[in-house]
């Protein structure tokens, strides 16, 4: 059929009383609307009247024509409204600019409406009651607001994200306090917190939901589950998210019967995708926790759950009981495959968990036989082919470990069924992994074998300038420490004791602390190596800078594994009266007790902090932050900001 060159006659038919004539006119106009819309636009009111006339048999056709006219006029809101009124005549599967634009508009409107009925929850309200928190630094003494820009969006908002644009889920209007009791989780009235959705009547909302459901079904049939998951996450609609995961799991079961062995399950890919966007894209902590809780619930319902995906969730949610139950369940199965999964799961927990989390997991595991033999060397052959320490070499002097340097934390365990000797050995291996000793042993071995640092470069640097230049001495020491970090290779220091002895004051502090960088992870011999420099119970002729640096080095060696030295470092810090020793002790405590959330250590540091010492105060502030690392502790935040 030859296309129309003018729509004047058809537009005139719209005013005819005969519905068949009007239907014919609408049908022809719909076919050539891309070229004739300029002539049809003045009659848009007549087309709307036909749509609103309930007695007209082709109301959906009138709505479709009106939608296309408004689309050409750039009025996408009105175009979407009439397209929804067109019902099944609006073909989602047809590829075209009009269809793609209206579908995108429908998705945006759906997300805005769904987000409106699912307001964000502040991170502080997830799992606990939040009190009023000061979220800005105090103003200057003269009443000005020069420090206002340094205000924090929330106690759990990273500093790098405190100035995000207003549409970010993390940003809030600057205020003195954050009140989670406000409607919308404290985000009510914040510009851009939620897009303003259209005021749609009930019938239009039902039509919108029908279009979205048709779109989801099309995605399910095509296996495009990621699109559904992305829309559900952005719309904060966990019911749709649950449905998408379950549909994916059901389809994967059917496909697995036909697929060959070794083919990766689509449901596993979807779960990995969801975990990835949850951890890296979703910025609102409350929504992230809700999604992770949903993932945990669904994973536990699966006959063969993905334990490694569950491990990522339980670490973030701090569900240590669930982690210990998983390990216990795998060990109870008694087969080699389940125990191998338990070992790998323990490695994953160690790589991602904090000291506090790992200690709680171990507390809930059954009792295991403890090592009664001599501790193995943590660095394997790291000491092979090296001279044995001698008494004349103060750097590597062999002395007995301080008996008060080790301590065990009191634990409380629930009574469980007796375990066999074989299971006891398995639990012992799991504890060995969770403590990090196995990973440290392998890491030290790898670093020692693959150390490619060029000693000649350091020798040339050493000889190029006067050693008594403190800045030069510190730079050379730091270069040596960084180039051999974690390798236990301290041969440069041992061969240059005379040059090392020229260090004074803070350069001596740095030189001693550098030993901690070199021997990081050497937890079997760390305290022996530093014994000549550590503070003694009886005063001796030793530099306070060496003593402070030794305490810092001890913390570096046991960084993130400080259970055995925390008691010693704490005693030395409380006993110290010199600012330099307090400085080193505080830094050592901070790195050794990192992320333990130890309230007693925090209070001990705070007491000394209030003495207003410039030298020790800086280190104490850093140590307090390291101890509470990642906890979001409201009291600690308020103490540090006060």
């Amino acid at each position: 059929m030859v296309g129309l060159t003018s729509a004047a006659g058809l537009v005139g038919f719209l005013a005819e009383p005969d519905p068949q004539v009007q239907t014919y006119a609408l049908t022809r106009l719909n076919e050539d609307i891309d070229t004739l819309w300029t002539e049809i636009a003045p009659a848009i009111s007549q087309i709307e009247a036909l749509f609103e006339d309930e007695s007209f048999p082709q109301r959906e056709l009138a709505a479709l024509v009106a939608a296309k006219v408004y689309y050409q006029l750039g009025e996408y809101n009105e175009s979407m409204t009439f397209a929804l009124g067109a019902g099944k005549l609006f073909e989602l599967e047809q590829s075209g600019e009009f269809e793609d634009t209206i579908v995108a508009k429908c998705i945006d409107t759906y997300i805005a409406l769904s987000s409106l009925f699912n307001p964000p929850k502040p991170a502080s309200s997830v799992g606990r009651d939040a009190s009023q928190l000061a979220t800005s630094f105090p103003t200057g003494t003269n009443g000005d607001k020069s420090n206002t820009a340094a205000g924090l969006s929330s106690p759990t908002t990273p500093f790098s994200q405190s100035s995000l644009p207003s549409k970010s889920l993390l940003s809030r209007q600057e205020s003195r306090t954050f009140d989670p009791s406000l409607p919308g989780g404290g985000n009510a009235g914040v510009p851009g917190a939620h897009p303003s959705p259209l005021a749609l009547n009930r019938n239009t909302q039902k039509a919108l939901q029908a279009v979205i459901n048709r779109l989801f079904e099309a995605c399910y049939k095509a296996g495009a589950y990621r699109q559904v998951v992305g829309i559900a996450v952005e719309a904060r609609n966990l019911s749709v998210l649950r449905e998408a995961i379950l549909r994916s799991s059901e389809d994967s079961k059917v496909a697995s019967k036909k697929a060959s062995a070794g083919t990766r399950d689509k449901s596993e890919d979807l779960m990995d995708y969801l975990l990835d966007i949850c951890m890296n894209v979703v910025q609102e902590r409350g929504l992230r926790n809700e999604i992770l809780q949903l993932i945990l619930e669904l994973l536990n319902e699966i006959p063969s759950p993905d334990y490694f995906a569950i491990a990522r969730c339980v670490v973030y949610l701090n569900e240590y009981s669930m982690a210990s139950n998983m390990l216990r369940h795998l060990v109870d199965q008694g087969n080699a495959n389940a125990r191998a999964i338990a070992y790998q799961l323990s490695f994953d927990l160690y790589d991602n968990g904090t000291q506090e989390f790992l200690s709680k997991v171990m507390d809930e595991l059954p009792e295991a036989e403890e090592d009664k033999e001599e501790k193995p060397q943590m660095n394997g052959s790291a000491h092979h082919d090296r001279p044995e320490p001698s008494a004349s070499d103060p750097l590597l002097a062999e002395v007995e470990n301080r008996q008060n340097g080790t301590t065990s934390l009191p634990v409380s365990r629930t009574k469980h069924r007796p375990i066999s000797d074989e299971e006891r050995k398995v639990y012992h291996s799991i504890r060995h992994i969770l403590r990090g000793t196995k990973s440290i042993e392998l890491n030290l071995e790898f670093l020692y074998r693959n150390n490619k640092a060029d000693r000649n470069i350091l020798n040339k640097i050493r000889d190029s300038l006067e050693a008594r230049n403190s800045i030069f001495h510190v730079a050379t020491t730091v270069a040596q420490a960084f180039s051999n970090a974690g390798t236990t290779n301290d041969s440069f220091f041992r061969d240059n004791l005379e040059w090392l002895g020229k260090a004074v004051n803070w350069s001596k502090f740095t030189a001693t602390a550098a030993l901690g960088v070199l021997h990081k992870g050497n937890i079997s011999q760390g305290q022996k190596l530093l014994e000549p420099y550590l503070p003694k119970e009886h005063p001796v002729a030793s530099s306070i800078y060496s003593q402070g640096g030794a305490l810092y080095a001890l913390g570096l060696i046991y960084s993130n594994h400080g259970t055995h030295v925390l008691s010693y470092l704490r005693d030395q810090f409380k006993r110290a009266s010199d600012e330099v020793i307090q400085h080193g002790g505080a830094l050592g405590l901070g790195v050794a007790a990192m992320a333990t959330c130890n309230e007693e250590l925090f209070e001990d540091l705070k007491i000394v902090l209030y003495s207003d010492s410039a030298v020790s105060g800086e280190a104490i502030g850093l140590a307090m932050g390291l101890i509470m690392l990642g906890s979001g502790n409201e009291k600690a935040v308020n103490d540090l900001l006060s």
Side-chain angles (χ1 to χ4, degrees):
M1 183 180 293
V2 179
L4 296 174
T5 58
S6 176
L10 293 175
V11 171
F13 287 164
L14 296 176
E16 294 293 329
D18 189 352
Q20 292 184 354
V21 175
Q22 293 171 332
T23 300
Y24 171 77
L26 289 173
T27 303
R28 293 302 307 275
L29 291 175
N30 182 52
E31 294 173 355
D32 297 294
I33 199 166
D34 291 338
T35 58
L36 302 177
W37 67 270
T38 54
E39 298 182 56
I40 304 172
I44 190 65
S45 59
Q46 293 178 271
I47 301 175
E48 291 183 21
L50 292 175
F51 169 68
E52 295 170 358
D53 185 2
E54 296 184 359
S55 63
F56 183 62
Q58 295 293 332
R59 295 181 60 222
E60 293 182 349
L61 179 58
L64 181 61
V65 174
K68 291 183 177 181
V69 172
Y70 276 119
Y71 167 74
Q72 297 291 349
L73 293 172
E75 299 292 342
Y76 299 125
N77 290 335
E78 288 79 0
S79 179
M80 182 200 69
T81 302
F82 282 102
L84 293 174
K88 294 184 179 180
L89 293 181
F90 177 51
E91 300 177 359
L92 300 177
E93 297 79 9
Q94 183 174 348
S95 178
E97 292 184 4
F98 168 72
E99 288 78 12
D100 293 344
T101 303
I102 300 306
V103 167
K105 188 66 180 177
C106 289
I107 293 175
D108 290 340
T109 305
Y110 170 77
I111 291 173
L113 286 171
S114 183
S115 298
L116 184 65
F117 291 105
N118 297 280
K121 298 178 182 179
S124 56
S125 69
V126 180
R128 55 196 172 105
D129 295 330
S131 58
Q132 295 269 338
L133 295 178
T135 58
S136 296
F137 290 104
T139 57
T141 56
N142 56 355
D144 64 347
K145 296 184 179 181
S146 57
N147 292 330
T148 303
L152 301 179
S153 296
S154 75
T156 54
T157 300
F159 286 94
S160 60
Q161 297 178 351
S162 60
S163 58
L164 289 171
S166 60
K167 289 188 178 181
S168 170
L169 293 175
L170 281 176
S171 63
R172 302 187 182 99
Q173 284 182 332
E174 188 172 311
S175 61
R176 275 303 182 200
T177 58
F178 167 61
D179 188 358
S181 64
L182 291 176
N187 286 299
V190 178
H194 296 297
S196 298
L198 296 174
L200 303 178
N201 57 44
R202 186 174 297 274
N203 291 333
T204 306
Q205 290 187 23
K206 290 181 179 179
L208 175 63
Q209 186 63 54
V211 168
I212 295 298
N213 290 340
R214 288 167 57 193
L215 185 64
F216 287 166
E217 285 297 329
C219 291
Y220 292 149
K221 291 180 181 179
Y225 298 102
R226 292 190 177 191
Q227 284 80 344
V228 180
V229 167
I231 295 173
V233 170
E234 194 169 354
R236 311 173 58 83
N237 195 323
L238 298 185
S239 61
V240 174
L241 188 60
R242 176 191 294 271
E243 181 185 4
I245 296 174
L246 293 177
R247 288 284 295 268
S248 173
S249 178
E250 293 173 0
D251 293 348
S252 296
K253 290 179 182 178
V254 176
S256 62
K257 297 178 181 179
K258 303 178 181 179
S260 58
T263 304
R264 184 169 173 80
D265 196 340
K266 288 185 177 180
S267 62
E268 295 179 4
D269 290 335
L270 181 65
M271 197 63 68
D272 290 343
Y273 172 75
L274 180 57
L275 283 171
D276 182 63
I277 63 174
C278 186
M279 294 296 187
N280 302 319
V281 178
V282 177
Q283 294 182 337
E284 186 202 333
R285 192 172 180 182
L287 176 60
R288 185 184 301 171
N289 287 356
E290 291 179 355
I291 295 175
L292 291 176
Q293 290 285 7
L294 174 63
I295 294 174
L296 275 180
E297 179 183 343
L298 294 176
L299 286 175
N300 288 326
E301 294 176 358
I302 299 176
S304 300
D306 185 351
Y307 290 103
F308 306 113
I310 296 177
R312 294 175 62 185
C313 296
V314 298
V315 170
Y316 185 86
L317 295 173
N318 201 30
E319 295 284 352
Y320 52 87
S321 296
M322 186 173 293
S324 60
N325 289 337
M326 278 196 304
L327 294 173
R328 188 190 301 274
H329 173 71
L330 289 168
V331 174
D332 290 345
Q333 292 185 22
N335 58 73
N337 183 57
R339 291 178 178 177
I341 295 176
Y343 292 147
Q344 182 59 54
L345 192 63
S346 301
F347 278 112
D348 289 351
L349 293 174
Y350 166 74
D351 288 338
N352 297 284
T354 63
Q355 287 193 74
E356 180 189 28
F357 178 85
L358 296 174
S359 64
K360 290 180 178 179
V361 172
M362 288 187 288
D363 289 347
E364 295 195 355
L365 292 177
E367 291 282 359
E369 60 179 9
E370 299 296 332
D371 287 335
K372 296 182 180 180
E373 302 177 357
E374 185 180 357
K375 293 182 180 179
Q377 281 194 342
M378 292 292 99
N379 53 346
S381 61
H383 288 276
H384 295 179
D385 303 326
R386 294 177 56 177
E388 291 295 326
S390 61
S392 60
D393 188 352
L395 186 65
L396 298 175
E398 288 285 343
V399 295
E400 294 296 327
N401 276 325
R402 289 183 179 271
Q403 297 300 320
N404 62 351
T406 60
T407 182
S408 59
L409 299 176
V411 298
S412 60
R413 298 184 175 88
T414 306
K415 295 295 183 180
H416 296 281
R417 68 168 180 83
I419 58 177
S420 64
D421 293 338
E422 185 178 0
E423 289 178 335
R424 184 172 285 106
K425 293 179 180 179
V426 174
Y427 282 120
H428 171 68
S429 299
I430 290 176
R431 290 176 182 275
H432 191 54
I433 296 172
L434 291 176
R435 290 192 183 100
T437 50
K438 189 64 178 178
S439 297
I440 291 173
E441 176 183 347
L442 297 174
N443 188 51
L444 281 175
E445 179 72 19
F446 174 82
L447 290 176
Y448 178 78
R449 290 181 179 274
N450 294 276
N451 183 19
K452 307 298 182 182
D454 192 343
R455 173 75 176 274
N456 294 327
I457 295 178
L458 291 173
N459 290 335
K460 290 181 179 180
I461 294 175
R462 177 201 61 195
D463 298 335
S464 60
L465 292 173
E466 172 58 40
R468 294 193 179 275
N469 186 321
S470 61
I471 297 178
F472 167 70
H473 199 284
V474 168
T476 307
T477 302
V478 172
Q480 150 68 4
F482 286 172
S483 61
N484 293 276
T487 63
T488 70
N489 182 10
D490 52 21
S491 59
F492 178 82
F493 284 165
R494 290 189 291 108
D495 296 341
N496 294 277
L497 292 177
E498 182 180 354
W499 174 86
L500 197 63
K502 296 179 180 180
V504 294
N505 299 336
W506 287 106
S507 60
K508 182 173 291 187
F509 180 97
T510 304
T512 312
L515 294 174
V517 180
L518 295 171
H519 291 275
K520 181 183 181 301
N522 190 6
I523 57 179
S524 64
Q525 297 184 356
Q527 208 161 353
K528 293 180 181 179
L529 295 169
L530 295 172
E531 185 66 25
Y533 308 102
L534 291 170
K536 304 297 190 297
E537 294 183 3
H538 304 288
V540 294
S542 177
S543 170
I544 58 174
Y545 293 95
S546 293
Q547 296 178 27
L551 292 175
Y552 185 21
L554 186 62
L556 288 171
I557 292 175
Y558 290 86
S559 61
N560 208 29
H561 301 87
T563 304
H564 300 295
V565 295
L566 282 184
S567 177
Y568 173 78
L569 286 172
R570 184 181 179 185
D571 291 342
Q572 293 298 330
F573 174 77
K574 294 172 68 175
R575 187 184 306 164
S577 58
D578 190 276
E579 292 180 336
V580 177
I581 300 179
Q582 289 179 342
H583 183 91
L587 292 175
L589 277 174
V591 293
M594 187 186 306
T596 58
C597 303
N598 191 316
E599 295 282 353
E600 295 181 357
L601 283 179
F602 187 86
E603 292 299 324
D604 290 341
L605 292 168
K606 187 171 68 173
I607 292 173
V608 182
L609 178 66
Y610 287 165
S611 64
D612 293 333
S613 169
V615 176
S616 61
E618 178 185 6
I620 291 173
L622 293 171
M624 293 169 70
L626 288 172
I627 290 173
M628 293 296 175
L629 181 66
S631 67
N633 188 294
E634 299 164 10
K635 182 178 180 297
V637 172
N638 288 330
D639 288 341
L640 292 172
L641 295 179
S642 61

